[in-house]
Amino acid sequence: MTATTLPAGDARPSAAAGGLARRRRGGRARVLLRRLGFYVGTAAVAITLNFVIPRLMPGDPASVILNKLAQRSQVTPATEKSIRALFGVPDQNLWQQYLHYLSQIAHLDFGVSTAYFPQPVRELISQGLPWTLGLVSLTTILAFLLGTGLGIVSGARPGSRLDSVLAPLATFLGSMPYFWVATMLLLLLSVSLPVFPSQNGYDLNLGPGFSPAFVTSVIAHGFLPAATIVVSSVGGWLLGMRNMMITTVAEDYVSLAEAKGLGRGRILLAYAARNAMLPQVAGLAISIGTVVGGSLLAEAVFAYPGIGYLFYQAVVNLDYPLMQALFLIISLSVLVANFIADSVYVLLDPRTREDA
C-alpha cells in the first residue's frame, strides 16, 4: 500500500489558510492585551482618585469628618480611631498613606461605618449585595429579554399595526423617570389597593431563611421595585433592537437569503436578529456591570435593603467610609463589565481588530 501524497498545488492553500488563522488569533490576542492594559490603567486611576479626592479637602480630612460628626452627636474614641485609620495617619507622608490605603483595599478593609457604627463597611456591603444582585440582575435580564424580543418583532415589519403600537409605547415608557414610576406603583398597588408591601425586603417579623413564608414575603416585597425597573428600562431595549432590525433587514445578505427561498423565521432569527443583537449584548454587559451599584432611586423609594439604599443612607448621613467603599466597588465592577463587552466585540466583529 503506497502512501498518498498531495500535489504541491493542494498543500499551498492549506498552509496559507493555516497562516491566516494564526494571524487572526494573534490579532485577537494583541487587541485583547491592549484593552486589558487600558482597563488596568483606568482601574489604577479610579483607585488613586478614590484616595486623593477626600484628601483634597482643606486641612486634615479625618478631622473635618470628625468635626461634622461631632455637630450631630458625640464621637466615641473608637469612631475617631477608625476614621483616622481609614484616612491615614496625618504625620505620615502622602506616599506612606497611599501604600497603607492600597494595603487596606487588598485586605478588603474599608473601615467602620459612621452611620451604622460600629458595623464594619465590608459587613454592610456583604449584607446589601445579595439583595441588589437578586433584584437588579434578574430585572435587568428580564427587561433585556422582553425588550429585545419585542424589538425583533416590531423591527421585522416596520409600519405594521403592532409596530405602530409598540414604538410609541416604548418611547413613552422610556421617557418616564424611575422615581415617578416607583411613586405611581406605590400609590396604586400599595396605598390605594394594598396588594403589595410598600417597603423593606421582607416581613421583619419573619426570621431570614428558606422557609416558604420567608420566600413568599421576599417575592411580595420585591414585586414593586422589580416592576419599577422593568417598566422603566424595557422601552430602551425595545427601541434599540427595533432600530437595529430595521437597518439589518435591508442588508444585501438578507435579500440574498430571501432570494434563496429560506423561511422567514430563519432569516429573521439566524441572519438579521443575530447581527442586530451585537449592540444589545454590549449594552447588557455594561448594564450588568452597573447592577452592583443597584437601582438607587427604586431602592430608596421602597427602602429596599440593597446597595442603592445603602448608598443613599451613606450620603444622607455623611458616612464617608461607606461612600468611599461603594464608589470604589461600583467603579471597578463597571470597568470589568466594559472589558467583558469589549472582549466579546473583539471575538465577534473582525472590524474591531483590523488595526491590530
Side-chain angles (χ1 to χ4, degrees):
M1 185 175 180
T2 58
T4 304
T5 56
L6 291 173
D10 294 338
R12 280 196 295 272
S14 177
L20 179 61
R22 284 194 295 273
R23 283 197 297 275
R24 285 177 176 172
R25 286 195 295 270
R28 283 196 292 265
R30 282 194 295 275
V31 173
L32 289 176
L33 286 174
R34 194 183 303 164
R35 300 280 171 85
L36 179 62
F38 169 77
Y39 282 107
V40 169
T42 307
V45 171
I47 291 172
T48 304
L49 283 177
N50 203 38
F51 166 79
V52 171
I53 289 176
R55 287 161 179 80
L56 293 178
M57 298 167 65
D60 174 19
S63 298
V64 173
I65 295 170
L66 289 171
N67 290 335
K68 287 184 178 180
L69 292 176
Q71 293 174 3
R72 293 184 295 155
S73 61
Q74 184 178 1
V75 179
T76 63
T79 304
E80 181 176 352
K81 182 180 178 182
S82 66
I83 291 177
R84 292 201 178 279
L86 178 69
F87 289 99
V89 181
D91 296 335
Q92 290 181 332
N93 61 46
L94 202 59
W95 177 246
Q96 289 175 321
Q97 292 182 36
Y98 185 61
L99 293 179
H100 177 69
Y101 163 77
L102 293 179
S103 173
Q104 283 184 303
I105 291 179
H107 293 87
L108 298 180
D109 179 11
F110 302 109
V112 177
S113 167
T114 56
Y116 297 89
F117 187 82
Q119 211 166 358
V121 169
R122 179 173 61 183
E123 193 174 305
L124 285 170
I125 294 175
S126 64
Q127 290 174 355
L129 196 57
W131 291 99
T132 289
L133 291 178
L135 173 70
V136 186
S137 61
L138 286 178
T139 51
T140 299
I141 294 173
L142 179 62
F144 168 79
L145 295 176
L146 186 61
T148 301
L150 292 175
I152 292 174
V153 176
S154 179
R157 295 184 183 278
S160 63
R161 288 184 180 179
L162 183 63
D163 180 57
S164 62
V165 173
L166 288 179
L169 180 62
T171 306
F172 173 71
L173 292 177
S175 64
M176 291 193 299
Y178 270 53
F179 71 88
W180 189 84
V181 176
T183 306
M184 289 299 104
L185 289 176
L186 187 65
L187 290 175
L188 180 62
L189 297 178
S190 185
V191 177
S192 300
L193 299 172
V195 179
F196 297 102
S198 61
Q199 59 182 2
N200 297 323
Y202 59 95
D203 188 347
L204 299 180
N205 295 319
L206 298 174
F210 289 100
S211 63
F214 181 76
V215 173
T216 304
S217 174
V218 169
I219 294 173
H221 282 75
F223 182 84
L224 290 182
T228 299
I229 297 171
V230 172
V231 169
S232 301
S233 58
V234 71
W237 293 116
L238 194 157
L239 286 177
M241 190 64 196
R242 173 187 177 274
N243 295 337
M244 285 301 300
M245 277 294 291
I246 291 175
T247 303
T248 307
V249 293
E251 295 286 346
D252 291 339
Y253 63 88
V254 175
S255 302
L256 178 62
E258 291 174 341
K260 290 172 67 177
L262 298 181
R264 180 69 179 170
R266 182 180 176 186
I267 293 173
L268 289 179
L269 295 178
Y271 288 78
R274 181 179 177 182
N275 292 312
M277 280 189 65
L278 279 174
Q280 296 283 99
V281 173
L284 177 64
I286 295 172
S287 298
I288 292 295
T290 59
V291 159
V292 178
S295 182
L296 176 61
L297 293 176
E299 290 187 9
V301 170
F302 296 104
Y304 197 78
I307 294 295
Y309 184 67
L310 206 57
F311 195 81
Y312 168 74
Q313 290 296 324
V315 173
V316 170
N317 295 291
L318 297 177
D319 191 343
Y320 288 93
L322 185 55
M323 278 192 282
Q324 201 174 11
L326 291 175
F327 170 77
L328 181 65
I329 291 174
I330 292 170
S331 302
L332 295 181
S333 63
V334 170
L335 288 175
V336 170
N338 281 332
F339 174 69
I340 293 173
D342 270 359
S343 302
V344 171
Y345 249 90
V346 169
L347 296 175
L348 295 181
D349 192 346
R351 293 171 296 182
T352 59
R353 52 179 186 271
E354 284 179 351
D355 296 332

